[in-house]
């Protein structure tokens, strides 16, 4: 019965992970964002008014992405816990990190607030309150770094994931930690540090797909747990 429950959780996590990747790519390709603050306030409000429905749709999809990411992250943290058994607690670090990504919902909430404010005729400096603090995705960069560090080091020690995925998780954590520095300075794209954030997300997409596939392979992913039990 426990094995069946574990397999169901693994399938849910893998499906959520792949769906999150597809949804994020769709958001990037198909939905507009609020213009960056290097435009005039008049241009920003005009564009927001014209694209209000699409921006709100993008915010809703962004919240769905956050939900899928949480499902995937919690599932793979549970997967790591089973592999670690009593030999480690990296899954707790991973779980704390993925829980912190709920702050991503805040950035979508701010976008909705901004669109509503423009729609109700708010003008002037008050509108800047609804702007994000830096490049898109920067709010969840540090929580993602914590999550990936926990998963990467835990999977490396327990063998819960292939070694290349463990190292990719650790490398992605470093990229997100550095990329979060894109909030510094006046560059709306994060400047030089913003490039690390972009690389971090590209690595994350590859890692999620690879990890999702691994979770669907019980013969390989469950061997470490079985070995730990025999030990």
């Amino acid at each position: 019965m426990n094995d069946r429950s574990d397999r169901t959780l693994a399938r849910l996590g893998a499906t959520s992970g792949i769906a999150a990747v597809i949804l994020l790519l769709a958001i990037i390709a198909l939905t507009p964002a609020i213009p960056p603050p290097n435009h005039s306030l008049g241009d920003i409000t005009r564009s927001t008014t014209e694209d209000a429905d699409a921006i709100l749709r993008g915010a809703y999809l962004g919240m769905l992405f956050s939900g899928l990411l949480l499902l995937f992250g919690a599932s793979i943290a549970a997967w790591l816990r089973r592999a670690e058994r009593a030999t480690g607690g990296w899954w707790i670090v991973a779980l704390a990190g993925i829980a912190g990504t709920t702050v991503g919902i805040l950035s979508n909430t701010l976008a909705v607030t901004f669109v509503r404010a423009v729609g109700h005729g708010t003008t002037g400096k008050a509108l800047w309150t609804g702007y994000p603090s830096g490049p898109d995705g920067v709010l969840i960069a540090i929580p993602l770094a914590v999550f990936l560090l926990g998963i990467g080091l835990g999977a490396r020690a327990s063998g819960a994931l292939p070694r290349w995925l463990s190292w990719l998780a650790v490398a992605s954590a470093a990229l997100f930690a550095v990329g979060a520095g894109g909030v510094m300075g006046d560059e709306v794209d994060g400047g030089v540090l913003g490039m690390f954030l972009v690389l971090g997300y590209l690595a994350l997409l590859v890692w999620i797909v690879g990890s999702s596939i691994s979770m669907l392979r019980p013969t390989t992913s469950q061997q470490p747990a079985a070995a730990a039990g025999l030990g």
Side-chain angles (χ1 to χ4, degrees), residues 19-21 23-24 27 60-70 140 201 204-205 208:
V21 169
L23 188 57
L24 181 59
I27 291 172
Y60 170 67
L61 294 178
M63 293 178 185
L64 287 181
F65 166 75
S66 294
L68 289 170
L69 186 62
L70 283 170
I140 64 174
Y201 274 105
L204 176 67
L205 296 181
I208 288 177

Side-chain angles (χ1 to χ4, degrees), residues 9-81:
L9 182 61
R11 293 190 187 97
L12 175 64
T15 302
S16 299
I18 294 174
V21 169
I22 295 173
L23 188 57
L24 181 59
L25 292 175
I27 291 172
I28 294 172
L30 302 176
T31 61
I34 296 172
N38 59 344
H39 292 71
S40 69
L41 194 56
D43 289 341
I44 292 172
T45 54
R46 181 168 53 254
S47 178
T48 300
T49 300
E50 294 173 352
D51 296 331
D53 290 341
I55 293 173
L56 292 175
R57 184 165 56 250
Y60 170 67
L61 294 178
M63 293 178 185
L64 287 181
F65 166 75
S66 294
L68 289 170
L69 186 62
L70 283 170
L71 277 175
F72 168 76
S75 298
I76 199 169
W79 181 262
L80 177 60
R81 177 181 180 275

Side-chain angles (χ1 to χ4, degrees), residues 109-163:
T109 301
L110 290 175
V112 173
T113 301
F114 187 86
V115 171
R116 298 302 189 201
V118 170
H120 284 82
T122 303
T123 59
K125 295 182 179 179
L127 284 174
W128 293 116
T129 304
Y131 257 77
S133 57
D136 288 343
V138 73
L139 290 180
I140 64 174
I142 295 300
L144 278 176
V146 174
F147 165 67
L148 290 166
L149 182 66
I151 287 291
L153 294 181
R156 179 176 175 272
S158 65
L161 293 173
R163 184 167 293 272

Side-chain angles (χ1 to χ4, degrees), residues 92-102 142-144 146-148:
I92 300 177
V93 177
L95 192 61
I98 200 63
T101 63
T102 54
I142 295 300
L144 278 176
V146 174
F147 165 67
L148 290 166

